[in-house]
C-alpha cells in the first residue's frame, strides 16, 4: 500500500505540471466532478461541516483496520480539494492519519483555500478527518 | 457630471495588481477603499498630533480634541442633526445597535414588542433577540415580498400600542432594496413606537436629513463610506439618547465617581467611555469631505447608472437569477447562476483580479427565504466604472465556462 507520504509526492508532481492557476483550477473542478458520491444516508446534518461559504458532508467507516472516507460538498472547487484529501487519507490506518503532516497543501499552492478567512469548511474538514481517525485509534 | 478617472486617482489601492491583473473591486458593500486624504489624515495624526482627547491641558491634547470634535461637527452637518451632542462615536454600526439594544433592556417589559424585518443584517437581528430574551419582550418580523421589498401591509398590521421599537435597515446589504423608511417612521410614531434605522449601506449613497426624516435613532459605519475601520456613528434625538442608560462604564462618561454613587456625563460623552479611535474619527472628516465634495446626489445618480448597466449586463448571462428586484434599489446586485455555486464563481473571478462577495452576507433569513445557500454579490462605489463591470461580467462568463 502506498503511504500518505508517497501519495502526497504524486500530487505535488501532478500539480507541478500546471503553468497557471487556470489549469490548476480546471484540474480541481475535474477532480470535484469525479469524486465518488457519498451514500445518501450519510448526507446528514450530523455529518455536515458548516463553513461560511460552502457546505461539506464527511462520513468515515472503519474497515479492516483502515478508515474509508466519503464526502460531498455543494461547491465544486471544494469537492475537488476534498477529492485530493480523500486520495491522501482514505484507506490508511488511523495511526498514520492522525500523524499525517499534510505538506502538499503548501506545495501545490492551495494554502489560501485553507486559511480560516476562506471559511469554506476545509480547515474543519481536515480536523474532522483526524478526529475520526483518533476515535478509531483508541 | 463626476470625473471618475480623477476620482480614481485619489484611491492608491485602485492601481495595484491582484493576481497579476488590475484590481476590479466590487465588494464595496463590505467596505469601501480609502482616498489619499483619509490615509494621510490617519498618518498625520500619529506623526504630528497624537494625544488623548478631552483630558489633557497640554497643547497636543487640545489639538487632538479640537480635530476630534471637528468631525462631530462635520457629521452633524452631513446628516442634518439638530444638535452636535446627538452624534455619538461608536466602533461601527454593530456597536451602535448593541449600544441601543442594551439600553432598551431597561426600557422594555414583558408584553412589549420590537419589530425588525426579514431583510436585516445579523447585526440588526441578534442584539434584539438578546434584548427580548432579557426583557421578555416579543420580537416581530416584517416579511419580505418576492421582489425583496418589505411587506408594508403586514408591517402596518404588526404595529400596535405594544410596539415600543421598530429597527430596520435603510438599505439591504444583501439585496440592495431601499426601504420606505419615511413611511415606516411615520406609521411607527403613530402608535408611539421609537424607530432605529441601520444606515450602514445608505450613508454614502443616499442624502440624509435627520430633522426631516424624524428617526429617533440612525447609525452607520465610517469604513463603508470611504473612511477608516473601527469608527461608526450613532445619531439619536436628544430626547431618545437621554432616555437610554449608559452602555459601557469607564473614563470620559462620568460626571462624578464615588463608591456610594456615580453620576454620568452629559451627551455625547455619556456613551463614549474609554479612549476612542481618535485617528479614525479625525480621518472620518476627510471621508465626509470627499463625499460632500462630490455631492451625495451626484454619487447616487452615478451609482444608479452603474446599477442599471450592471443589472442589464448580468441578465444577459444564461441561467442567471437576480435576488432583489425591488423598484427602489441601491447599487447592490445579488445573483446566482443555475447549477453553479456562488463560492466557485467567487474563487475563479478572484483569480482574474475581480473582488466580489459570495456567501450569505450575514443575512441567513434572506437566504432561507429564497432557498439558496448564498449568492454572489456585486456592490458599487463612486470610483467604479462601466469598463470594470465589463471585466467583471467577462470573468463571470469565464467562470461559468470552466464550471459547466
Amino acid at each position: 500500500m502506498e503511504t500518505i507520504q508517497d501519495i502526497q509526492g504524486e500530487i505535488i508532481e501532478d500539480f507541478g505540471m500546471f503553468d497557471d492557476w487556470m489549469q490548476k483550477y480546471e484540474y480541481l473542478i475535474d477532480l470535484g466532478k469525479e469524486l465518488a458520491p457519498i451514500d445518501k444516508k450519510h448526507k446528514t446534518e450530523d455529518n455536515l461541516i458548516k463553513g461560511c461559504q460552502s457546505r461539506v458532508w464527511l462520513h468515515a467507516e472503519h474497515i479492516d483496520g483502515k478508515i474509508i472516507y466519503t464526502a460531498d460538498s455543494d461547491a465544486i472547487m471544494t469537492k475537488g480539494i476534498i477529492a485530493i484529501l480523500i486520495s491522501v487519507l482514505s484507506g490508511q490506518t488511523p495511526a498514520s492519519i492522525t500523524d499525517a503532516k499534510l505538506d502538499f497543501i503548501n506545495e501545490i499552492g492551495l494554502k489560501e483555500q485553507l486559511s480560516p478567512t476562506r471559511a469554506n469548511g476545509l480547515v474543519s474538514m481536515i480536523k474532522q478527518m483526524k478526529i475520526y481517525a483518533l476515535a478509531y485509534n483508541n | 457630471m463626476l470625473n471618475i478617472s480623477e476620482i480614481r486617482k485619489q484611491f492608491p489601492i485602485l492601481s495595484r495588481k491582484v493576481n497579476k491583473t488590475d484590481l476590479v473591486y466590487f465588494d464595496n458593500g463590505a467596505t469601501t477603499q480609502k482616498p489619499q486624504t483619509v490615509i494621510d489624515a490617519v498618518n498625520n495624526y500619529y506623526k504630528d498630533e497624537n494625544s488623548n482627547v478631552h483630558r489633557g491641558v497640554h497643547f497636543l491634547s487640545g489639538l487632538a480634541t479640537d480635530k476630534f470634535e471637528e468631525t462631530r461637527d462635520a457629521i452633524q452637518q452631513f446628516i442634518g442633526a439638530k444638535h452636535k451632542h446627538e452624534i455619538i462615536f461608536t466602533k461601527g454600526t454593530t456597536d451602535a445597535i448593541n449600544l441601543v439594544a442594551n439600553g432598551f433592556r431597561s426600557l422594555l417589559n414583558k408584553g412589549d414588542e420590537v419589530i425588525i424585518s426579514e431583510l436585516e443584517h445579523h447585526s440588526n437581528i441578534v442584539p434584539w433577540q438578546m434584548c427580548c430574551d432579557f426583557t421578555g419582550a416579543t420580537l416581530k418580523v416584517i416579511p419580505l415580498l418576492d421582489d425583496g421589498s418589505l411587506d408594508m401591509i403586514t408591517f402596518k398590521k404588526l404595529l400596535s400600542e405594544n410596539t415600543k421599537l421598530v429597527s430596520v435597515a435603510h438599505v439591504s446589504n444583501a439585496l440592495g432594496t431601499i426601504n420606505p423608511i419615511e413611511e415606516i417612521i411615520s406609521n411607527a410614531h403613530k402608535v408611539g413606537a421609537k424607530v432605529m434605522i441601520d444606515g450602514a449601506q445608505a450613508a454614502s449613497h443616499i442624502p440624509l436629513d435627520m430633522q426631516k426624516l424624524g428617526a429617533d435613532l440612525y447609525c452607520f459605519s465610517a469604513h463603508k463610506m470611504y473612511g477608516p475601520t473601527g469608527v461608526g456613528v450613532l445619531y439619536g434625538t436628544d430626547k431618545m439618547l437621554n432616555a437610554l442608560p449608559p452602555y459601557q462604564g469607564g473614563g470620559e462618561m462620568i460626571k462624578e465617581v464615588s463608591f456610594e454613587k456615580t453620576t454620568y456625563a452629559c451627551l455625547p460623552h455619556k456613551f463614549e467611555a474609554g479612549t476612542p479611535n481618535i485617528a479614525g474619527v479625525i480621518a472620518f472628516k476627510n471621508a465626509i469631505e470627499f463625499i460632500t465634495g462630490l455631492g451625495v446626489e451626484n454619487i447616487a445618480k452615478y451609482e444608479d447608472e452603474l446599477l442599471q448597466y450592471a443589472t442589464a449586463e448580468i441578465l444577459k448571462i444564461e441561467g442567471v437569477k437576480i435576488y432583489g428586484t425591488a423598484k427602489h434599489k441601491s447599487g447592490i446586485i445579488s445573483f446566482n447562476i443555475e447549477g453553479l455555486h456562488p463560492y466557485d464563481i467567487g474563487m475563479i473571478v478572484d483569480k482574474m483580479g475581480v473582488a466580489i462577495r459570495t456567501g450569505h452576507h450575514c443575512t441567513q433569513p434572506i437566504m432561507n427565504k429564497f432557498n439558496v445557500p448564498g449568492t454572489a454579490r456585486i456592490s458599487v462605489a463612486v470610483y467604479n466604472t462601466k469598463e470594470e463591470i465589463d471585466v467583471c461580467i467577462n470573468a463571470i462568463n469565464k467562470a461559468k465556462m470552466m464550471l459547466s
Side-chain angles (χ1 to χ4, degrees), chain A residues 21-23 25-26 29 33 51-55 74-78 81 109 112-113 118 120 122, chain B residues 19 340-352 357-360 373 398-399 402-404:
Chain A
W21 69 268
M22 207 191 290
Q23 291 177 349
Y25 273 29
E26 276 171 346
I29 291 165
K33 285 178 182 164
C52 187
Q53 299 274 344
S54 59
R55 291 179 294 175
D74 49 359
I76 196 83
M77 300 273 291
T78 309
I81 298 167
E112 62 190 69
Q113 319 292 345
R118 288 286 176 184
N120 52 13
L122 284 167
Chain B
N19 291 319
L340 306 187
H341 195 283
Y343 172 74
D344 291 324
I345 298 172
M347 288 292 296
I348 294 176
V349 301
D350 168 58
K351 284 288 179 189
M352 290 178 262
R357 168 113 333 192
T358 62
H360 54 59
K398 184 129 188 185
M402 285 176 70
L403 291 163
S404 301

Side-chain angles (χ1 to χ4, degrees), chain B residues 78-337:
Chain B
F78 182 67
I79 65 171
K82 192 170 179 190
H83 305 289
K84 183 180 170 178
H85 61 256
E86 293 174 327
I87 311 298
I88 313 290
F89 288 117
T90 66
K91 287 186 285 181
T93 304
T94 300
D95 190 37
I97 297 171
N98 276 281
L99 186 163
V100 174
N102 201 73
F104 265 85
R105 287 183 178 196
S106 52
L107 301 181
L108 296 179
N109 295 301
K110 203 170 176 347
D112 288 343
E113 292 173 359
V114 174
I115 298 178
I116 59 171
S117 89
E118 200 175 1
L119 61 60
E120 300 309 315
H121 189 284
H122 294 165
S123 303
N124 199 25
I125 299 174
V126 184
W128 299 114
Q129 287 174 324
M130 289 160 71
C131 176
C132 287
D133 280 349
F134 188 87
T135 56
T138 308
L139 192 63
K140 301 264 176 174
V141 182
I142 311 166
L144 267 181
L145 298 173
D146 289 341
D147 68 351
S149 64
L150 294 181
D151 177 352
M152 291 297 285
I153 294 169
T154 304
F155 166 62
K156 284 165 198 164
K157 286 183 191 156
L158 288 177
L159 285 170
S160 75
E161 58 186 21
N162 295 327
T163 313
K164 293 293 175 277
L165 181 80
V166 178
S167 186
V168 292
H170 194 164
V171 173
S172 157
N173 72 305
L175 304 171
T177 314
I178 301 174
N179 290 322
I181 55 168
E182 296 82 357
E183 194 184 341
I184 289 171
I185 292 166
S186 69
N187 279 283
H189 282 171
K190 274 182 207 156
V191 298
K194 303 291 183 195
V195 181
M196 170 151 197
I197 303 293
D198 165 2
Q201 296 293 337
S204 65
H205 307 282
I206 298 172
L208 297 174
D209 184 339
M210 289 303 129
Q211 291 179 72
K212 218 188 262 172
L213 187 63
D216 302 280
L217 298 146
Y218 193 104
C219 57
F220 49 92
S221 298
H223 76 95
K224 291 187 199 291
M225 40 200 302
Y226 312 100
T229 56
V231 178
V233 166
L234 170 66
Y235 157 84
T237 59
D238 178 276
K239 197 177 161 204
M240 182 74 247
L241 291 175
N242 276 317
L244 288 174
Y247 178 36
Q248 293 177 321
E252 186 67 29
M253 53 77 71
I254 51 95
K255 196 186 275 170
E256 273 181 283
V257 175
S258 72
F259 290 112
E260 289 71 39
K261 185 174 171 59
T262 290
T263 49
Y264 304 121
C266 297
L267 294 172
H269 306 296
K270 171 181 156 187
F271 292 110
E272 293 180 355
T275 297
N277 180 352
I278 303 169
V281 167
I282 289 175
F284 189 17
K285 178 164 171 264
N286 298 80
I288 298 289
E289 283 166 355
F290 169 77
I291 294 169
T292 51
L294 301 177
V296 188
E297 288 88 357
N298 296 331
I299 294 175
K301 193 164 163 264
Y302 177 66
E303 287 178 349
D304 190 57
E305 246 176 70
L306 291 176
L307 170 72
Q308 301 309 332
Y309 181 73
T311 303
E313 290 302 306
I314 285 175
L315 284 173
K316 288 180 190 164
I317 301 170
E318 207 189 311
V320 87
K321 181 175 169 155
I322 290 179
Y323 302 91
T325 50
K327 200 170 153 216
H328 298 291
K329 265 190 76 170
S330 187
I332 290 171
I333 305 170
S334 236
F335 65 95
N336 272 326
I337 299 171

